[in-house]
Amino acid sequence: MRVLYVIDSLAPGGTEQSTIVLAPHLRELGFESTIVTLKSAEHDLTPEAEAAGITVQRLNSGRLPKRVRELRRLIRSGKFDVVHTALFDADQLGRVAAWGTGVPVVSSFVNTPYDPARLADPNVNKWKLRFVQLIDAVTGRLMVNRFHAVSEGAKVANARALRIPERRVTVAERGRDAGLLGERTDERRTASRVALGLGPDAQVVLNLGRQDYQKAQTVLIEAAALLSGSHPNLVVLIAGKHGSASADVQRALGEPLAARHVRLLGHRSDIGDLLCAADVLAISSHFEGTAGAAVEAMALSTPIVSTNLAGLQGVLEDGRNALLVPINSSQELANGLGRLLDDATVSSRLATRAHADFIERFTLNSAAVRLAELYGSVQKHLTTSPLVRPVDMSIRE
């Protein structure tokens, strides 16, 4: 089968990286991948995609109608069996372009974009968000044959927000390349800390993600200030490129206690080394889909403290493979981080269980098999084209 992925860009985000690393494993299962992007991006991953054997094309047309026609011609060329879209702009373009061509459409839920927490984002207009949600719901009901969710939580949250029956959504969890991430060893931990200028006594908390409202790094910075008195050797590393909340992050670092303990690393590609150097991964986000950083931490046995997010339901479980704390509470986040930094027994138990979960559910091979089964199911159950299919295009199991 030939799959055409339509995505906004190949920026180094979780969705983009997952698409690239899965391609070789899907090829072994008989699936060839082509990616169409709408635009270029900073730190563009096109070279990595091409090295993985993926054909990458960028739409040349600037205006939406021309882009739709350009993509539609590609879809109707007969080269593809499935169109798979991800992220809002690409979702809408891919759905409209494929409508009526007879090529089935799969759309991914990789985040929880209509979570109530988004309304608190100063960069989000409430009415614009509701309008976007309406468009997403209409095109989703009319033009999508099957939805794919990266977690059970993402499935439930998006089905509810878009009023789509949950039976139309298949969960195929993300995977990570254990070979690429490497192993957690004492030698690697020491070398990674030395490279970062960290001593053996440093208590290291790591946060991975772009500096956006969603990631709530300001809450983590506040938590660092709260921990500073009881944890004088605390070092909080925030790895991720600048974003819409960078100014807020800088303001938060104006607090002397926070500034003393927090370091901004900017964009990094050595995620495995950073996770090995860390004592705890902190996910401080207001909302997430799966949070690829959580899966990477599970692979490397790095203990996790995360806010209790809808999108992470089915991935992280409080007291079993992570500690979960309330959203937007610097005090509760500080309490959770302090507990794992101070209690090696609990920290080790959670990390061991999380690593076992990774081996069982989140390897690239497991992720590829689930996605291949989804594509096969769409093809098997496709009996009419999206053009004439009624609003409820549920795949009957």
Side-chain angles (χ1 to χ4, degrees):
M1 289 180 64
R2 299 153 300 179
V3 182
L4 177 65
Y5 294 94
V6 184
I7 194 168
D8 290 4
S9 72
L10 281 177
T15 300
E16 297 83 357
Q17 291 175 330
S18 292
T19 303
I20 292 170
V21 298
L22 275 175
H25 296 264
L26 284 168
R27 188 179 303 114
E28 292 178 0
L29 297 171
F31 294 82
E32 291 298 328
S33 303
T34 296
I35 296 177
V36 167
T37 63
L38 281 58
K39 58 186 178 182
S40 61
E42 186 180 7
H43 308 298
D44 198 280
L45 296 174
T46 295
E48 288 84 346
E50 293 175 340
I54 305 172
T55 300
V56 180
Q57 297 180 228
R58 186 172 300 138
L59 295 181
N60 297 314
S61 306
R63 295 183 179 276
L64 180 60
K66 290 185 177 180
R67 282 186 167 185
V68 170
R69 289 195 294 270
E70 183 181 353
L71 182 57
R72 189 175 182 83
R73 283 194 298 270
L74 181 60
I75 294 170
R76 296 185 70 174
S77 67
K79 297 179 180 178
F80 304 103
D81 301 293
V82 175
V83 173
H84 189 159
T85 71
L87 306 177
F88 180 79
D89 288 344
D91 278 339
Q92 307 317 310
L93 180 65
R95 293 170 188 176
V96 173
W99 197 33
T101 63
V103 180
V105 174
V106 173
S107 283
S108 285
F109 294 141
V110 300
N111 213 320
T112 54
Y114 307 113
D115 191 294
R118 284 212 69 193
L119 297 178
D121 185 346
N123 301 295
V124 170
N125 180 289
K126 175 181 178 180
W127 300 111
K128 182 178 180 180
L129 179 64
R130 294 307 184 208
F131 181 65
V132 164
Q133 185 176 0
L134 176 62
I135 293 173
D136 205 6
V138 171
T139 61
R141 293 181 198 180
L142 288 172
M143 302 175 182
V144 177
N145 297 81
R146 194 69 169 170
F147 289 94
H148 156 238
V150 296
S151 70
E152 184 66 25
K155 168 184 172 177
V156 173
N158 283 283
R160 183 182 298 119
L162 300 178
R163 299 187 179 182
I164 293 168
E166 288 186 22
R167 65 179 180 272
R168 290 189 60 197
V169 187
T170 297
V171 176
E173 293 161 328
R174 281 178 173 168
R176 284 295 186 266
D177 188 343
L180 184 62
L181 288 168
E183 297 183 2
R184 186 184 188 92
T185 64
D186 291 341
E187 293 77 13
R188 186 181 186 187
R189 175 178 170 83
T190 299
S192 299
R193 285 186 163 224
V194 168
L196 291 164
L198 300 172
D201 295 332
Q203 293 185 299
V204 183
V205 174
L206 175 66
N207 174 269
L208 299 171
R210 180 174 176 150
Q211 295 170 25
D212 283 332
Y213 172 82
Q214 172 183 352
K215 303 299 182 180
Q217 282 111 342
T218 55
V219 178
L220 175 58
I221 293 170
E222 292 170 3
L226 293 172
L227 280 170
S228 61
S230 57
H231 296 76
N233 294 326
L234 175 70
V235 179
V236 176
L237 305 176
I238 298 178
K241 61 184 180 180
H242 282 230
S244 61
S246 292
D248 295 327
V249 168
Q250 290 297 332
R251 278 193 290 272
L253 289 174
E255 162 62 45
L257 287 177
R260 192 178 307 156
H261 293 276
V262 179
R263 290 169 51 185
L264 302 181
L265 301 182
H267 173 73
R268 301 286 292 232
S269 58
D270 56 341
I271 300 304
D273 289 341
L274 294 178
L275 284 166
C276 287
D279 295 295
V280 182
L281 174 73
I283 301 174
S284 51
S285 304
H286 293 303
F287 54 94
E288 287 284 356
T290 294
V295 178
E296 291 161 348
M298 294 165 75
L300 285 167
S301 301
T302 304
I304 301 169
V305 174
S306 173
T307 44
N308 194 0
L309 304 168
L312 286 174
Q313 291 178 14
V315 178
L316 299 182
E317 184 178 341
D318 186 36
R320 179 181 172 276
N321 60 8
L323 282 188
L324 303 183
V325 300
I327 298 170
N328 202 31
S329 172
S330 55
Q331 184 62 66
E332 293 290 351
L333 181 58
N335 292 343
L337 292 172
R339 182 182 176 191
L340 291 198
L341 290 172
D342 295 339
D343 194 330
T345 300
V346 172
S347 181
S348 177
R349 175 175 60 80
L350 295 177
T352 299
R353 181 65 259 180
H355 182 72
D357 287 344
F358 173 83
I359 297 300
E360 182 180 348
R361 296 169 50 196
F362 297 102
T363 63
L364 281 181
N365 184 62
S366 296
V369 168
R370 286 191 293 266
L371 205 53
E373 289 173 347
L374 170 58
Y375 295 147
S377 175
V378 169
Q379 278 287 310
K380 178 180 177 182
H381 292 87
L382 183 65
T383 57
T384 60
S385 79
L387 182 61
V388 297
R389 189 171 291 236
V391 170
D392 183 4
M393 298 188 300
S394 309
I395 293 177
R396 305 301 179 185
E397 305 296 347

